[in-house]
Amino acid sequence: MLAEELVLKQRTKILHALCSSGSAEHLERVLDILLAKGALIWEDYQNIQVPGRTLYTNARQLLDLVYTKGVDTCGLFLAALKLALPEAQAVGLSFSESCSNLQENDECQSTSNQTLLAQRPSLVHKLQGCVDGVLAALLDSGHFSSADCDEVRLPIYTPTQQARRLLDHVRSRGDLAASVLLQYIHQKQEPGLPLNQRELTPPKEFLKYQKKLSSSVSAQACFLSTYAGTSHMSLDDIYTDGQLELAEVNAHGPLGLEDIVGLVGIVNEEADTVLVSGEAGSGKSTLLQRLHLLWARGVALQDFLLLFPFSCRRLNSEHNELSVQELLFQHCCWPDRNQEEIFQFILDHPHQILFTFDGLDELKQSFTDEHRVCCPTQRAPVHVLLFNLIQGSLMKGVQKVVTSRSEAVSPLLKKHLRKEVVLKGFSPTGIDSFVRKHHRDPTVAAKVLESMQANTALLGLCHSPVLCWIVSQCHKELLGCGEGSPKTITDVYLMILQHFLQHQSPLKSTMGLGWLQEHLKTVLLLGQLAFEGITSTCYIFSGTDLEACGVTEKDICMVFLIKSKDMSSTHSKCYEFSHVTLQCFFAALFIVLSSNTNRSVIPKLFELENRETGLTRVCFTACLPSSDQQQQASEKESKAAETPNLQITAMFVSGLLSQRHQNLWLHCCPSAAVEKKARQVARCLSKGIQKHFRSIPQPVQGEKKSMHAMPDFVWLIKCLYEMQESRIAKDAMSKLEVDHLKLTYCNIGPVECTALAYVLQHLRNPVGLQLDNNSVGDVGVEQLLPCMHICNSLYLRNNNITDEGIRKLIAKVIQCDSFQKIALFNNKLTDACMQDFSYLLKTKQVFISLRLGNNNITAEGAKQLAEGLKANQTLAYLGLWGNRIGDAGTEALASSLERSNSLVWLSLVGNGVGSAGACALANLIRKSTSLQELWLTENCITRTGVECLIQALKHNTHVTSVWLRNNDLSLEDAEEMKQLESRLIF
Ligand code: ADP
């Protein structure tokens, strides 16, 4: 089909794909590409991007235009669309066969302004994280005024929009301004190198080496490791984008893979190491694998000539001292010739080299900066090399990407980070897309998705890619199990255990034994191996290790253990658990089933403070049979057992010892022993929580008693949830007496929300629940509903919540008597949920505070909210900072609020409010008997508007301040107005 026809036929679908998210990003990306390719001229662009017009209208305008421009433009448009849309949005669209070449022209054009246009897509990308720097340069060079800078930095813009507004402004200021911008970007990329000198011609041997390395990286990366034992699942077929966010700067939207090493979000310019953190199973290794593959194929990270991938797990087994050169060549790829020349080239071009280290948390040694090595030919233990590389004392300038679990990142390591990016698992559309990729048969996929969606606790778990994989893999069990559908993480792992035990090696059960009983020997052997590994930070097992535990070929074929991949060929046959969480699960099975472990193993597992070198080791060693003890004791290194893995193991132990699973252990071990262990766990959990409560400081007089939970608190809560025994949860919670429970920046996702709600519903008195800066999302909100009756306020700032989540939340909280406050700053709310808030305001005459800043609310939404406000007599705080309600929205709100005698604080900062809005607010001031503070900073109010406010203030003595900084007023005007009314603040 011709490109023109494709555009016409798919018009509705394209519009939906471009606009349904409510964000203009996809449309703007397409426009960037079309401008760069010359398919649109500047005037076209201006006719499409008309400020104030709806996104759909703009997109329609673009579709009309490309259609009229003919087949070539339509072809380019489709190719641009394919590139700009995320996978999930592009589903169902077909793109033209003749894939137009969208390769960006990175040659310098005859004028800087032309270069700006030809390189627009990559400039938008490169400008992120340095908009402020460019603005400062333009201010210095006199091309921009501070008002120009403010306009670019308006908080309503996303970072990419700021970059585009900057490019648009620069264009209008002429060629010199454009060259200032380009110069800045070039210097950023290549410090010390003048413009246009980035070309380099590597020696021939180097190019050969590059080819060899990339083909070996590609071979290593093209299959997903979890599937090694079962089937070969190609990464291309299964890879699904996870949610990536910056750890520090919240204002940036979701990141793409290339942003990991890009300019966005840099917190320390001098550092070379980027950390990708996330929970176990959140997809860190897979993400690195994807980056490796894209690099090897020449699709991404093309600023890097060489990429050296390392696995810390494998580096653990390197016992020789090495130099950096040996490390690179022996562990990644050996050059056939001219080693010295190649290494010299690497040393001379550090900015074009990338190292990746997967699983820093799995390294036996914790990060320190004590031992310095600065010379690349000096030999040192591998961990010392690694720490020096991370700090940059070795191979300064080489970029390094390191992955680690969040809990295992020490403050010392943070000091050396260029930026930290957090991987937060799959989004709801990611889950959908993953399951559809996993099951080629669409009817199976639909059924699996349906059963996931029917069980919200399970759906919550599926945000973690590893659990999503397990659940999807075990779809037969899932579809058949009705009532007993898995709820906890332990349930999910038990499901996979049963799945593989029964499917991979079906034993003929002649004696009618249970599935676990039939395979008990294997489970115990693997369990012991796992347990010993976890307690000695060992994740790779040699043939001898396996023999020592009695693990046989047959057990290995069970897929729980897979062959260890290695870039170097030194380790012939080694095995590892197919995921570290599976190793923890087997360790937990061993603790529960074995009669060999001693009594202190469970208390030690739940005890956090004593996890220093030696102590835990000694304790766990004592838990093993004596022959093993000798062997363990003879090991040279006795390292600190790793807390995150022990915590996961403890969580599984809680789950396995739950009453719900006690039948499973019948005939596998003595019931009395299991019951005893279960009582031990319950005692440990209760003690742990009490200890946490005792650490809460007494409140300052007059303030509320507040508890800021530590990450361990979340872990204990998750253990309580795994146990699924409300009596124990109730017991643990009954003694908590706080007014405010703060869990900000605690990595709370949907899984944690389920556990929190399960435990918090047993609190005796209502609390304020503060969950700001987590990744709760709509699914998490739904999980929280069971504890809403015990919340008087809910803070969910910056949590990826959309209208959908709000709808469910409000339907619940209107039934909760004590619910009074909600804060939803920086989420993804639009006008579509304003009706729900309106209903909340009408229905709940105890509601006090509504904060909806930095969302996507327009005049339409404000009008709906105003309907609710008319009928409310309790709201005291209304915050709408950083939306787009404009004059019309302000007029509607002001007119409704005139009747309120409860409102004391109103913020409409950064909302495009002009003088008409200000005059409406003046009326509110005139009539209100309660209003004290009015925030109107960063709007476009002129002298006329302020004069109205002054007149109104003459009739009002309650208002204490009206904030008017950054409006359309000259300094003289502001000075004059201030003289007339001292409550105005400019
Ligand atoms: P981590 O390194 O954070 O512990 P992994 O990358 O090992 O997590 O992921 C565990 C499993 O989850 C993978 O083996 C795979 O089955 C699944 N998985 C993780 N990320 C993705 C992804 N982006 N796309 C598809 N599957 C994924």
Side-chain angles (χ1 to χ4, degrees):
M1 206 185 284
L2 278 178
E4 266 169 313
E5 279 177 64
L6 275 174
V7 170
L8 201 59
K9 284 205 143 171
Q10 304 186 94
R11 189 176 166 95
T12 318
K13 277 192 193 164
I14 295 176
L15 276 174
H16 183 74
L18 280 173
C19 310
S20 62
S21 67
S23 142
E25 179 61 24
H26 304 138
L27 177 67
E28 295 197 7
R29 256 191 239 167
V30 172
L31 289 173
D32 291 341
I33 300 171
L34 295 180
L35 276 174
K37 298 310 296 175
L40 294 183
I41 56 168
W42 192 250
E43 286 68 31
D44 295 334
Y45 171 72
Q46 285 178 316
N47 284 335
I48 293 165
Q49 283 285 69
V50 178
R53 216 166 54 177
T54 68
L55 182 58
Y56 273 95
T57 316
N58 289 350
R60 282 196 188 97
Q61 180 88 16
L62 172 65
L63 281 166
D64 295 345
L65 195 67
V66 292
Y67 186 73
T68 52
K69 285 191 175 233
V71 68
D72 290 346
T73 311
C74 286
L76 275 169
F77 170 73
L78 288 171
L81 199 62
K82 189 170 177 190
L83 203 69
L85 287 178
E87 261 170 38
Q89 246 101 341
V91 173
L93 279 177
S94 61
F95 300 95
S96 151
E97 289 296 311
S98 61
C99 230
S100 301
N101 175 18
L102 291 184
Q103 188 101 47
E104 197 166 296
N105 186 355
D106 57 4
E107 284 165 23
C108 284
Q109 308 286 310
S110 55
T111 70
S112 296
N113 244 337
Q114 283 167 354
T115 309
L116 225 55
L117 215 53
Q119 297 181 6
R120 186 174 169 100
S122 65
L123 283 172
V124 167
H125 180 70
K126 287 175 187 165
L127 276 170
Q128 288 183 55
C130 60
V131 165
D132 285 339
V134 177
L135 285 174
L138 286 161
L139 205 58
D140 271 358
S141 62
H143 292 99
F144 267 37
S145 67
S146 52
D148 294 329
C149 298
D150 289 346
E151 218 163 298
V152 170
R153 281 201 210 104
L154 272 182
I156 50 169
Y157 294 139
T158 63
T160 46
Q161 282 175 330
Q162 286 189 352
R164 290 190 184 99
R165 295 305 77 87
L166 173 58
L167 288 171
D168 298 352
H169 263 60
V170 167
R171 188 187 159 81
S172 68
R173 297 299 147 91
D175 225 45
L176 278 177
S179 64
V180 170
L181 182 142
L182 290 172
Q183 191 105 24
Y184 186 92
I185 295 280
H186 273 277
Q187 276 166 1
K188 262 281 206 249
Q189 280 185 325
E190 273 299 281
L193 263 192
L195 217 57
N196 288 341
Q197 285 196 3
R198 295 177 55 224
E199 284 300 296
L200 55 108
T201 39
K204 221 164 111 205
E205 273 313 315
F206 179 88
L207 292 175
K208 276 194 192 158
Y209 179 67
Q210 188 187 36
K211 215 166 154 196
K212 184 174 176 187
L213 177 67
S214 68
S215 87
S216 131
V217 170
S218 168
Q220 290 286 329
C222 63
F223 292 112
L224 200 58
S225 55
T226 307
Y227 299 90
T230 45
S231 60
H232 279 290
M233 182 64 94
S234 110
L235 192 65
D236 284 330
D237 290 342
I238 192 72
Y239 187 80
T240 309
D241 284 331
Q243 306 178 90
L244 270 178
E245 280 173 24
L246 289 172
E248 303 259 337
V249 194
N250 295 319
H252 291 271
L255 304 183
L257 275 185
E258 295 237 27
D259 292 323
I260 294 175
V261 289
L263 295 172
V264 55
I266 296 172
V267 289
N268 181 354
E269 294 274 352
E270 301 308 317
D272 303 321
T273 301
V274 174
L275 173 72
V276 178
S277 62
E279 307 231 325
S282 60
K284 300 179 296 296
S285 311
T286 314
L287 175 133
L288 272 193
Q289 207 178 325
R290 184 71 180 157
L291 276 181
H292 298 161
L293 191 63
L294 295 180
W295 171 79
R297 289 200 184 134
V299 185
L301 306 178
Q302 291 307 291
D303 291 343
F304 300 103
L305 297 173
L306 298 180
L307 183 154
F308 292 96
F310 297 96
S311 147
C312 295
R313 180 178 279 204
R314 299 195 220 319
L315 291 180
N316 272 334
S317 40
E318 176 60 75
H319 300 298
N320 297 322
E321 295 205 346
L322 299 179
S323 67
V324 175
Q325 179 171 352
E326 287 164 334
L327 179 75
L328 299 186
F329 294 166
Q330 288 178 18
H331 277 263
C332 290
C333 176
W334 193 261
D336 295 328
R337 256 167 299 178
N338 299 37
Q339 282 177 40
E340 297 309 322
E341 191 190 350
I342 292 171
F343 190 63
Q344 193 55 49
F345 190 87
I346 294 175
L347 292 180
D348 293 343
H349 301 91
H351 294 285
Q352 268 122 347
I353 312 293
L354 180 66
F355 294 170
T356 68
F357 295 98
D358 189 23
L360 187 67
D361 49 336
E362 293 192 2
L363 204 69
K364 285 192 176 168
Q365 298 79 2
S366 325
F367 180 81
T368 84
D369 50 10
E370 278 167 15
H371 309 284
R372 274 291 148 97
V373 179
C374 306
C375 168
T377 49
Q378 185 187 335
R379 290 205 169 115
V382 171
H383 69 275
V384 175
L385 287 189
L386 176 54
F387 298 157
N388 279 277
L389 286 168
I390 290 175
Q391 291 167 63
S393 38
L394 257 181
M395 309 289 278
K396 180 86 200 133
V398 170
Q399 281 233 20
K400 296 108 193 169
V401 177
V402 174
T403 72
S404 170
R405 266 175 279 172
S406 326
E407 320 86 273
V409 181
S410 64
L412 189 60
L413 173 63
K414 292 212 176 194
K415 252 180 32 195
H416 299 286
L417 296 181
R418 190 171 173 79
K419 65 173 131 176
E420 181 180 347
V421 174
V422 189
L423 184 55
K424 299 198 157 171
F426 291 151
S427 65
T429 45
I431 296 179
D432 200 281
S433 158
F434 175 85
V435 173
R436 289 184 201 282
K437 287 177 178 179
H438 194 187
H439 300 282
R440 289 283 162 74
D441 181 346
T443 32
V444 175
K447 275 192 190 156
V448 174
L449 282 168
E450 201 182 308
S451 58
M452 279 179 176
Q453 262 133 21
N455 177 347
T456 54
L458 184 66
L459 189 64
L461 295 178
C462 290
H463 283 258
S464 156
V466 73
L467 299 181
C468 192
W469 170 71
I470 294 181
V471 170
S472 178
Q473 181 76 12
C474 301
H475 66 278
K476 292 212 174 89
E477 287 81 351
L478 192 66
L479 298 181
C481 59
E483 279 259 301
S485 185
K487 230 170 154 181
T488 65
I489 302 183
T490 312
D491 296 347
V492 172
Y493 278 75
L494 276 171
M495 184 166 78
I496 201 169
L497 183 70
Q498 182 175 9
H499 173 90
F500 282 120
L501 289 179
Q502 289 183 328
H503 291 75
Q504 297 295 312
S505 147
L507 286 185
K508 284 208 183 74
S509 173
T510 46
M511 292 165 283
L513 302 173
W515 60 268
L516 184 61
Q517 207 181 348
E518 271 178 17
H519 298 275
L520 190 60
K521 190 162 163 256
T522 307
V523 171
L524 274 172
L525 291 176
L526 289 175
Q528 182 172 346
L529 187 75
F531 179 76
E532 287 177 18
I534 293 288
T535 52
S536 58
T537 329
C538 175
Y539 308 99
I540 297 191
F541 307 96
S542 66
T544 338
D545 293 333
L546 299 190
E547 264 169 42
C549 276
V551 176
T552 63
E553 278 288 318
K554 192 190 93 218
D555 305 318
I556 294 165
C557 291
M558 283 276 183
V559 307
F560 301 118
L561 276 182
I562 57 171
K563 271 218 187 76
S564 179
K565 276 192 200 170
D566 205 329
M567 296 284 281
S568 67
S569 53
T570 42
H571 312 285
S572 48
K573 237 188 181 181
C574 286
Y575 296 89
E576 56 194 312
F577 281 87
S578 48
H579 194 262
V580 67
T581 48
L582 205 60
Q583 184 173 348
C584 298
F585 179 65
F586 271 99
L589 280 167
F590 180 72
I591 293 173
V592 172
L593 286 169
S594 168
S595 47
N596 258 341
T597 54
N598 85 11
R599 309 182 39 227
S600 63
V601 67
I602 288 179
K604 286 288 164 198
L605 196 61
F606 285 88
E607 202 172 87
L608 296 163
E609 288 84 53
N610 298 338
R611 292 218 168 117
E612 291 306 320
T613 315
L615 222 177
T616 327
R617 179 92 189 100
V618 171
C619 144
F620 281 114
T621 308
C623 304
L624 293 170
S626 59
S627 61
D628 296 316
Q629 284 181 32
Q630 282 157 16
Q631 188 191 338
Q632 304 272 334
S634 69
E635 276 178 15
K636 266 185 247 134
E637 279 177 333
S638 163
K639 291 292 165 195
E642 204 204 334
T643 306
N645 285 335
L646 291 176
Q647 287 192 344
I648 298 176
T649 308
M651 197 184 69
F652 281 131
V653 169
S654 316
L656 292 173
L657 287 169
S658 156
Q659 277 291 337
R660 301 154 71 229
H661 296 309
Q662 302 243 331
N663 278 347
L664 210 58
W665 320 123
L666 281 180
H667 314 297
C668 293
C669 54
S671 306
V674 174
E675 275 161 26
K676 196 165 156 201
K677 287 178 188 173
R679 280 197 301 277
Q680 267 187 315
V681 170
R683 249 196 325 272
C684 290
L685 287 176
S686 184
K687 246 171 70 182
I689 294 265
Q690 298 317 323
K691 200 160 167 190
H692 218 90
F693 295 163
R694 278 198 300 275
S695 68
I696 307 171
Q698 286 304 314
V700 183
Q701 209 179 5
E703 277 188 15
K704 290 190 168 176
K705 189 168 178 187
S706 171
M707 174 177 120
H708 194 154
M710 297 297 149
D712 285 348
F713 179 73
V714 180
W715 163 63
L716 288 169
I717 294 272
K718 281 167 86 171
C719 291
L720 281 169
Y721 177 72
E722 291 297 311
M723 281 213 102
Q724 288 288 308
E725 281 174 48
S726 51
R727 184 186 48 81
I728 301 177
K730 201 169 174 177
D731 230 40
M733 279 296 121
S734 59
K735 294 175 194 105
L736 178 64
E737 277 175 15
V738 288
D739 304 304
H740 194 87
L741 191 56
K742 201 166 165 188
L743 287 144
T744 53
Y745 291 105
C746 278
N747 284 325
I748 308 278
V751 180
E752 289 70 24
C753 288
T754 314
L756 267 176
Y758 177 78
V759 175
L760 294 186
Q761 61 181 314
H762 297 296
L763 281 175
R764 279 200 304 218
N765 299 315
V767 289
L769 181 57
Q770 188 168 356
L771 293 167
D772 298 335
N773 299 304
N774 285 296
S775 26
V776 170
D778 291 345
V779 180
V781 167
E782 204 174 340
Q783 300 303 309
L784 287 173
L785 300 182
C787 73
M788 279 305 109
H789 65 278
I790 203 72
C791 279
N792 49 29
S793 32
L794 182 62
Y795 302 81
L796 284 166
R797 299 180 184 101
N798 199 29
N799 263 302
N800 259 325
I801 295 164
T802 76
D803 302 331
E804 191 58 33
I806 292 304
R807 188 160 312 134
K808 290 181 181 151
L809 180 68
I810 292 183
K812 172 76 190 185
V813 296
I814 50 171
Q815 302 160 16
C816 303
D817 293 341
S818 28
F819 197 82
Q820 293 181 323
K821 295 182 189 170
I822 190 159
L824 287 156
F825 182 84
N826 211 23
N827 281 289
K828 292 183 174 159
L829 310 185
T830 72
D831 293 342
C833 66
M834 288 303 119
Q835 233 163 12
D836 299 290
F837 283 113
S838 182
Y839 183 55
L840 172 83
L841 291 170
K842 276 185 201 159
T843 330
K844 277 195 81 67
Q845 295 298 337
V846 288
F847 201 74
I848 301 176
S849 170
L850 179 62
R851 294 176 193 253
L852 300 171
N854 226 24
N855 280 288
N856 220 343
I857 305 164
T858 71
E860 242 357 271
K863 285 179 194 163
Q864 289 176 11
L865 196 64
E867 285 304 307
L869 287 168
K870 264 187 209 155
N872 179 286
Q873 279 309 330
T874 53
L875 192 77
Y877 300 88
L878 176 60
L880 287 160
W881 184 83
N883 283 288
R884 289 183 289 137
I885 67 162
D887 279 334
T890 308
E891 282 165 350
L893 290 176
S895 131
S896 294
L897 287 168
E898 280 172 13
R899 292 172 223 175
S900 158
N901 47 29
S902 55
L903 189 82
V904 293
W905 186 92
L906 173 63
S907 166
L908 299 173
V909 172
N911 261 291
V913 181
S915 289
C919 292
L921 289 167
N923 270 338
L924 168 64
I925 291 178
R926 227 181 266 270
K927 297 190 183 150
S928 168
T929 52
S930 55
L931 187 68
Q932 292 172 9
E933 266 186 72
L934 178 58
W935 284 79
L936 293 168
T937 315
E938 281 170 24
N939 280 299
C940 38
I941 300 169
T942 60
R943 193 184 161 99
T944 325
V946 183
E947 280 167 356
C948 273
L949 291 170
I950 294 177
Q951 285 308 319
L953 282 167
K954 288 189 181 150
H955 305 275
N956 183 315
T957 50
H958 307 279
V959 172
T960 57
S961 47
V962 178
W963 294 78
L964 283 161
R965 282 190 185 139
N966 291 334
N967 275 283
D968 278 357
L969 295 161
S970 66
L971 277 178
E972 296 75 38
D973 280 346
E975 199 46 49
E976 187 191 330
M977 306 278 166
K978 200 167 166 42
Q979 297 302 325
L980 291 173
E981 177 50 81
S982 61
R983 287 173 287 172
L984 299 183
I985 300 166
F986 294 97

